[in-house]
Amino acid sequence: MEVTMVEINVKADKVEEFLRVFKLNHLGAIAEAGNLHFDVLQDESIATRFYIYEAYRDSDAVIAHKKTPHYLACVDALESLMSEPRKKTSYKGVFPE
C-alpha cells in the first residue's frame, strides 16, 4: 500500500473555494480502481490548514491517479488558493495488508 499525507495551507479568504475544488478531486479519487482511502481533514485549531490522507493499492495506482483529469484540474486550481507550497510525506502502508 502506498500512502501519502499532504498538508495544504489555504489563504483565509479561499477556504470555501478550496473545499469546492478539492471535493471534485476527492470524488474522482475514491472512484479510482486502485484507491483505498482519500480522506480530507481540516485542522481543528487552524481552519486554513488541511491534511489529505491518500492510500493506494500500489505505485501503479498512484501514477494513474496523477494522470486523471480531476487530479490535474485540482493541482492547477490550488496554485491560486494556497498560502504556501503543499507539503507531502510518503509512506509504505504496513497494516492493513
Side-chain angles (χ1 to χ4, degrees), residues 77-89:
L78 282 177
E79 289 305 314
S80 65
L81 306 177
M82 296 185 302
S83 60
E84 61 185 70
R86 294 176 289 164
K87 298 171 189 158
K88 295 182 183 183
T89 307

Side-chain angles (χ1 to χ4, degrees), residues 56-76:
Y56 284 88
R57 181 183 63 242
D58 53 31
S59 60
D60 289 339
V62 173
I63 292 167
H65 167 66
K66 291 183 178 181
K67 294 178 181 178
T68 61
H70 54 267
Y71 172 82
L72 296 171
C74 183
V75 168
D76 186 51

Side-chain angles (χ1 to χ4, degrees):
M1 180 171 52
E2 301 289 326
V3 176
T4 305
M5 285 291 294
V6 183
E7 178 184 320
I8 302 174
N9 290 281
V10 179
K11 296 173 186 172
D13 63 335
K14 300 293 184 180
V15 170
E16 292 304 317
E17 186 176 351
F18 166 80
L19 291 171
R20 282 192 300 278
V21 165
F22 220 87
K23 185 171 186 178
L24 296 175
N25 189 35
H26 165 76
L27 293 173
I30 62 172
E32 295 171 30
N35 179 266
L36 303 173
H37 282 280
F38 197 94
D39 302 337
V40 180
L41 312 168
Q42 186 175 27
D43 192 301
E44 286 187 355
S45 355
I46 304 170
T48 57
R49 182 170 294 156
F50 294 86
Y51 296 95
I52 315 307
Y53 173 84
E54 306 176 39
Y56 284 88
R57 181 183 63 242
D58 53 31
S59 60
D60 289 339
V62 173
I63 292 167
H65 167 66
K66 291 183 178 181
K67 294 178 181 178
T68 61
H70 54 267
Y71 172 82
L72 296 171
C74 183
V75 168
D76 186 51
L78 282 177
E79 289 305 314
S80 65
L81 306 177
M82 296 185 302
S83 60
E84 61 185 70
R86 294 176 289 164
K87 298 171 189 158
K88 295 182 183 183
T89 307
S90 297
Y91 305 90
K92 286 287 184 194
V94 177
F95 298 116
E97 295 178 43

